[in-house]
Every structure is written in structure tokens, then in C-alpha cells.
Amino acid sequence: LDVHSGTKALFMPYDWTLDPIPNHEDRQRMLDVLREVGKQDCPECLVGDCGETLGYLAPGSSADYSYSQGIPFSFIWEIYEGAEDAASDARDRESYQARQAAAAMAASADPFASITRAHPTSLLATRSRRLLRVRDLPPAWAAQDDIMMVSVQNEAKDHCLKEFNPTTEAEYNSTLERWTRAFRTLLASVEHRRSTIV
């Protein structure tokens, strides 16, 4: 079992091709296990062959490798998704882009503005004003790009954390409890089907 975050899904091989597993019995057993886990523990989860269900390939997955080495039940679970749905993702992107554009416009005049306004007599404030006068400034477009990149990087880190990880204790505990139950369901379901493997 390979566990990821970024969506809510229960996958099985293959990830390197859109073709299904050629052994129909193996495929059906894995699909039955995933459907049982989905029904009991994650009804909103996507369920199926990873490459086919997602519509893109990810060669080198551990589930594909495990299955190729004779592990009859090889899975990839995506157990956490920060955004509620695609519409929420779109709204987030639009808001993010608007904030970035506004930050770039505000910062283009003085890259140290937020610091120097808060502490006008600080060493950094006085030195930064002197440095801005005496050094050759890059072209405005380059300075804006540098400022924008810092802002984009900070925003991306924050967005990435929220998209792939629970950010409150309650959300963390809920996620942990849910997927612990799902793991127990997986074990019971595999144990039940193991006897059918020839």
C-alpha cells in the first residue's frame, strides 16, 4: 500500500499504461477490495486502475512494481484533498492570481516597503534606503519579477501545505481515524479474498 495525498482515491495498477492488468482475476480481486473500502470508508473516492482513472501516466509507481514482483494486492491510496471541489480550486486560483498581481504592483516601488514602514528607523530601513540610492537598480521588469517570485514561492508553500495536509488538529485526527478504519477494512477484505488466489 502506497499512501499519497492530493485527492481522494483508491487505485490499483497500472500506473505506467492505460491498459488494464491482463490477469482478469487479479484485476477483479483488487477492484472488489477497493470498492469495499470505498463503500465503507470513502464513498467520494475515485476507484480503479490508476492510469485509466486519472487519465495520465506515472511510470515507476510502487504499486506497479509490487504487482510485477508477484504481490497480488498492490494499491495506491490518495487520502487527503484540501479543496472541496473543482469549483473551489478555480476560485482559489483566481484569488491567488489577483493577490499576486496586487502584491507585485505594491512592491514594485520599494522592495523593502513592508519592513521600512513598520520600522522606519531600523538599521535595515536606513541601509536599504541608502542602498537603493547608491546601487544600480535592475530594470523595473526584473525587480518586479524577483519580488513576484518571492511572493509566489511563499504563497505556493502555504497553498501546498493546505492542499496536501490537514492543517488543524481536528482535521488531522479525523483523517487519521478515517484511514485507520479504511486500512482495517482493507486487511479484512484482502484476507477474505486471499483464499481465491491460485
Side-chain angles (χ1 to χ4, degrees):
L1 176 62
D2 187 4
V3 179
H4 296 250
S5 63
T7 191
K8 289 185 182 167
L10 305 168
F11 295 131
M12 59 188 215
Y14 286 129
D15 218 354
W16 68 274
T17 179
L18 297 179
D19 296 334
I21 293 172
N23 183 318
H24 179 71
E25 290 80 21
D26 282 356
R27 184 176 190 278
Q28 193 58 52
R29 273 191 296 271
M30 282 193 271
L31 196 52
D32 289 346
V33 167
L34 292 179
R35 286 180 178 152
E36 187 173 334
V37 172
K39 182 179 178 185
Q40 290 187 34
D41 302 297
C42 191
E44 75 276 20
C45 279
L46 297 169
V47 175
D49 309 64
C50 195
E52 181 185 350
T53 304
L54 284 179
Y56 67 85
L57 304 179
S61 77
S62 61
D64 287 357
Y65 177 76
S66 297
Y67 183 72
S68 75
Q69 298 301 304
I71 306 299
F73 294 97
S74 301
F75 303 111
I76 297 172
W77 285 5
E78 295 274 353
I79 66 166
Y80 184 81
E81 177 180 35
E84 290 296 318
D85 55 30
S88 176
D89 285 344
R91 284 192 306 275
D92 289 347
R93 273 193 303 280
E94 289 170 12
S95 173
Y96 170 75
Q97 290 167 347
R99 286 194 314 274
Q100 295 314 311
M105 295 273 295
S108 65
D110 180 3
F112 303 105
S114 63
I115 297 169
T116 58
R117 273 195 296 273
H119 308 283
T121 59
S122 71
L123 180 62
L124 178 58
T126 55
R127 285 223 173 138
S128 68
R129 284 193 293 272
R130 191 171 345 133
L131 286 172
L132 284 172
R133 285 194 304 268
V134 297
R135 71 180 175 130
D136 292 330
L137 294 174
W141 61 266
Q144 289 173 354
D145 285 351
D146 288 345
I147 293 163
M148 181 68 160
M149 282 309 298
V150 169
S151 180
V152 166
Q153 288 169 345
N154 289 337
E155 185 75 22
K157 287 176 189 174
D158 186 51
H159 179 74
C160 186
L161 175 71
K162 291 176 183 174
E163 184 66 25
F164 295 99
N165 302 281
T167 56
T168 67
E169 185 176 359
E171 193 177 20
Y172 171 82
N173 288 333
S174 172
T175 302
L176 181 62
E177 289 168 15
R178 177 185 207 181
W179 292 101
T180 299
R181 269 191 323 274
F183 187 67
R184 288 186 195 120
T185 303
L186 172 75
L187 294 175
S189 185
V190 166
E191 183 62 30
H192 174 73
R193 286 170 180 76
R194 225 170 53 160
S195 62
T196 63
I197 299 173
V198 179

